[in-house]
Amino acid sequence: MGADRHLSLNFQWIILGGNMKEFIDLRSDTVTRPTPAMRKVMAEAEVGDDVFGEDPTVNTLHEKVARLLGKEAALFVPSGTMANQLSIKSHTQPGDEVIIESSSHPYNFEGGAGAALSGIQFHCLKGVRGILDASQIEEAIRPADHHFPVTKLVCLENTHNRGGGTIYPLEKMAEIYRLAQSKGLLVHLDGARLWNASVAARTKPREYAQWADSVSVCLSKGLGAPIGSLVAGTKLFIECVHRFRKMFGGGMRQVGIIAAAGIYALDYHLERLKEDHQNAKRLAVGLKECKGVSIDPKHVETNIVIFDIADTGMTGSQVAEAMKKEGVLIHAFGKTQIRLVTHLDVSSEDIERVLKVFEKFLGRK
Ligand code: TLP
């Protein structure tokens, strides 16, 4: 694994001003490249036509992920967005209302798909770093009156991306699920980074998944596979998702080539997520010492670091531009917020280098 990592392209070469420059890319954990060992299993994967259900590697991945999540069945889909949207489509009817946290991924970053593809409306609730309370949800459920939309589904996100990689506490998920069941609602979990939550909280993925009717998980984020997500749930639900996957154009053919990367990632890249979490924590602790940075390292629970730089007098994009000149890619959002995401292709030495660049640019407190 160590040697394998050394061989991998753990930095990006990007042409900048005519020069090849080595970048440390902290914009997202989606930027990882498949390692040589992963490419080898991809090249050697047994394949078949998955639209006929005949790709043995995809079928193995389905079984593996269903087992990990403690669900009856799972289905491979191209992206986390499609996994979430197929779940929403399968659980709802047009006009239904879906309760969701206001900074969640399905509501903000999926191109308005909930409205466009399922005809639902979102009912947004503000969480604490993305985490909702059962009591907030209870209040938001519409009364049974023909004036109101029908509340059908609750969507949760674990870890919560815009919340700063926050882990949904298991008891909170349990409480929300019990409430949903008592009110006849369904629960979908956007678990794009459920693996991170699981490793950081030493809680099995299925322990989280038991508190949701459907779960989407991604292989292409922290786990380092190039493509792919899965939806898991009951057999009946997955049959419905399968039909809509065809309708949405997500049926793929000899896709075992990609599924093999996912199987490899689950076998070899899961436990190492704790290195990403340590790196994120180190970043937060170092950044706290930089002038104008507002961050509480104890809020950094997994691989996402979000901080505010309003007191530097600069905007996030100005800081991002300056960091890029020093070979560090970061993601600015809002006017004064910055997100850094640690991953497989960023080492602890890279993190020290990034901190030096921030210190040089912003100065120490
Ligand atoms: N998130 C991406 C961007 O879209 C913002 C990122 O860089 O973090 N759920 C969650 C919680 C996500 O963070 C993402 C991707 C998705 C779903 C969508 O996954 P993809 O990109 O595979 O459609």
Side-chain angles (χ1 to χ4, degrees):
M1 173 61 210
D4 179 34
R5 221 179 130 189
H6 179 69
L7 279 173
S8 79
L9 287 171
N10 65 354
F11 48 74
Q12 283 202 46
W13 292 94
I14 295 180
I15 296 176
L16 189 82
N19 296 317
M20 288 293 271
K21 199 165 165 58
E22 179 189 331
F23 278 87
I24 299 171
D25 194 344
L26 294 170
R27 289 171 303 167
S28 182
D29 48 8
T30 58
V31 302
T32 54
R33 318 288 183 84
T35 62
M38 187 183 272
R39 284 178 187 263
K40 188 164 183 293
V41 298
M42 292 172 77
E44 290 169 1
E46 227 186 299
V47 297
D49 190 333
D50 180 52
V51 172
F52 293 138
E54 289 173 2
D55 190 306
T57 311
V58 172
N59 292 338
T60 302
L61 178 65
H62 286 162
E63 282 160 26
K64 191 177 177 70
V65 170
R67 201 167 48 244
L68 277 170
L69 296 173
K71 297 292 183 200
E72 285 174 14
L75 190 75
F76 194 40
V77 300
S79 68
T81 299
M82 195 185 278
N84 284 334
Q85 295 303 328
L86 286 172
S87 302
I88 292 173
K89 179 85 179 164
S90 303
H91 284 314
T92 62
Q93 294 296 318
D96 283 347
E97 197 160 69
V98 176
I99 296 178
I100 199 160
E101 205 277 332
S102 56
S103 60
S104 68
H105 200 279
Y107 174 59
N108 291 285
F109 306 113
E110 298 185 5
L117 304 178
S118 299
I120 55 96
Q121 64 184 35
F122 283 117
H123 186 148
C124 293
L125 304 174
K126 179 113 197 63
V128 178
R129 293 194 305 285
I131 307 300
L132 295 173
D133 238 17
S135 59
Q136 285 175 278
I137 294 173
E138 185 161 20
E139 256 182 65
I141 298 170
R142 305 285 188 169
D145 175 310
H146 67 275
H147 289 87
F148 299 115
V150 174
T151 307
K152 184 68 72 63
L153 178 68
V154 177
C155 283
L156 306 178
E157 189 172 315
N158 192 9
T159 65
H160 199 288
N161 182 349
R162 279 298 288 267
T166 337
I167 301 170
Y168 236 104
L170 198 59
E171 330 72 73
K172 278 202 186 279
M173 283 191 64
E175 213 186 322
I176 291 170
Y177 191 64
R178 287 194 192 103
L179 167 77
Q181 289 223 308
S182 73
K183 302 286 181 186
L185 308 183
L186 295 159
V187 175
H188 171 68
L189 173 63
D190 177 349
R193 296 186 181 83
L194 189 64
W195 317 116
N196 295 81
S198 165
V199 167
R202 293 201 180 89
T203 303
K204 290 197 167 75
R206 72 167 71 89
E207 291 180 69
Y208 286 117
Q210 69 179 314
W211 305 120
D213 298 288
S214 59
V215 184
S216 56
V217 287
C218 291
L219 306 167
S220 58
K221 310 221 158 39
L223 291 185
I227 311 172
S229 295
L230 290 104
V231 185
T234 62
K235 271 203 175 106
L236 198 64
F237 170 77
I238 292 300
E239 271 171 33
C240 185
V241 169
H242 202 159
R243 174 173 288 277
F244 285 127
R245 185 185 75 174
K246 184 70 201 160
M247 195 189 276
F248 284 17
M252 300 179 283
R253 302 288 179 178
Q254 284 70 21
V255 74
I257 288 179
I258 305 167
I263 293 171
Y264 181 89
L266 286 166
D267 287 341
Y268 296 101
H269 292 172
L270 203 52
E271 277 309 310
R272 64 148 306 284
L273 289 175
K274 49 173 145 354
E275 294 170 34
D276 298 344
H277 302 162
Q278 282 158 6
N279 284 339
K281 191 65 112 181
R282 169 72 189 115
L283 270 176
V285 169
L287 281 162
K288 192 174 177 348
E289 301 309 316
C290 292
K291 246 192 222 149
V293 169
S294 170
I295 186 170
D296 186 344
K298 80 168 179 298
H299 290 160
V300 176
E301 300 176 39
T302 55
N303 69 329
I304 298 181
V305 182
I306 294 180
F307 58 100
D308 195 275
I309 46 122
D311 291 346
T312 62
M314 285 179 282
T315 63
S317 338
Q318 284 168 331
V319 174
E321 256 324 291
M323 293 296 287
K324 189 172 175 181
K325 289 196 182 109
E326 299 290 337
V328 180
L329 300 177
I330 61 176
H331 180 57
F333 59 71
K335 204 168 167 213
T336 60
Q337 280 204 316
I338 287 173
R339 184 186 78 160
L340 311 177
V341 188
T342 56
H343 53 76
L344 185 64
D345 292 356
V346 178
S347 66
S348 53
E349 294 77 35
D350 291 335
I351 297 298
E352 296 308 321
R353 194 176 130 201
V354 169
L355 282 173
K356 282 211 175 75
V357 175
F358 268 113
E359 272 176 25
K360 191 175 110 190
F361 181 59
L362 299 174
R364 281 175 73 92
K365 270 181 189 149

